[in-house]
């Protein structure tokens, strides 16, 4: 939108099933939209990233995940790509774990890490830390005082 809130352009993305955008990240030359898709991928919901140019035209799209439900809630830009935080459902359990996925600038997955236990664990927001790592917040049912507890997790960087 412009300074008065008037629409400049808009675009939609989808494949016929349910697709949801959970975040948008502005890059120097466009945007990355992240969320979930049920239309393609490995089954259930999958993390879906759509990269656009400055006018909202699709440059690439990628899906990540396994046979269970997976999704992204937030991301940050890093040298050479993105770090996405969300959730993944491991094959050996029905509960979800916090999921970090590093993606190159071209959308290819570099690595993924999961954190969590026997309960439902989820990451919703991520920031870079001064030591080169990340701080993630969300909630956990695996530790804490019972039920869903606020969760702050530090990953990467110096201890």
């Amino acid at each position: 939108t412009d300074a008065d809130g008037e629409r400049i352009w808009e675009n939609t993305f989808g494949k016929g099933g349910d697709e949801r955008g959970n975040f948008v990240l502005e890059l120097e030359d466009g945007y990355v939209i992240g969320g979930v898709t049920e239309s393609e991928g490995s089954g259930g919901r999958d993390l879906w990233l759509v990269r656009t140019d400055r006018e909202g035209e699709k440059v690439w799209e990628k899906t990540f995940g396994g046979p269970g439900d997976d999704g992204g809630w937030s991301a940050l830009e890093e040298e050479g790509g993105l770090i996405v935080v969300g959730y993944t459902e491991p094959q050996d359990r029905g509960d979800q774990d916090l999921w970090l996925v590093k993606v190159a600038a071209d959308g290819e997955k570099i690595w993924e890490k999961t954190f969590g236990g026997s309960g439902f664990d989820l990451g919703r927001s991520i920031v870079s830390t001064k030591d080169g790592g990340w701080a993630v917040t969300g909630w956990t049912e695996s530790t804490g005082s019972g039920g869903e507890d606020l969760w702050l997790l530090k990953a990467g960087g110096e201890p």
Side-chain angles (χ1 to χ4, degrees):
T1 64
D2 64 17
D4 296 322
E6 298 297 322
R7 178 179 38 224
I8 297 171
W9 55 259
E10 68 178 90
N11 208 339
T12 59
F13 305 96
K15 302 275 189 184
D18 288 340
E19 281 80 39
R20 296 184 183 123
N22 292 334
F23 68 86
V24 61
L25 181 64
E26 184 177 21
L27 307 174
E28 185 174 321
D29 58 351
Y31 305 92
V32 171
I33 304 133
V36 297
T37 179
E38 293 181 349
S39 296
E40 57 183 43
S42 299
R45 292 182 177 151
D46 286 303
L47 168 60
W48 188 35
L49 298 178
V50 178
R51 172 78 160 84
T52 73
D53 62 18
R54 292 304 255 165
E55 288 74 42
E57 296 299 320
K58 183 169 50 175
V59 175
W60 54 255
E61 67 180 298
K62 301 287 184 173
T63 59
F64 306 97
D69 285 343
D70 312 284
W73 282 107
S74 183
L76 57 90
E77 186 176 18
E78 289 216 326
E79 186 176 325
L82 309 167
I83 301 288
V84 180
V85 64
Y87 60 92
T88 186
E89 193 173 275
Q91 270 188 293
D92 58 340
R93 305 190 316 268
D95 293 320
Q96 295 174 343
D97 286 336
L98 184 150
W99 193 27
L100 290 179
V101 182
K102 183 163 187 172
V103 179
D106 64 0
E108 295 302 314
K109 182 170 63 175
I110 298 171
W111 54 254
E112 63 184 318
K113 308 283 183 191
T114 58
F115 303 90
S118 60
F120 184 88
D121 307 300
L122 180 114
R124 290 289 301 253
S125 183
I126 185 170
V127 296
S128 295
T129 57
K130 292 180 182 179
D131 63 2
W134 312 280
V136 179
T137 191
W139 61 84
T140 180
E141 291 181 345
S142 296
T143 62
S145 62
E148 293 177 351
D149 289 318
L150 183 141
W151 193 16
L152 179 62
L153 176 113
K154 172 72 170 67
E158 298 297 319

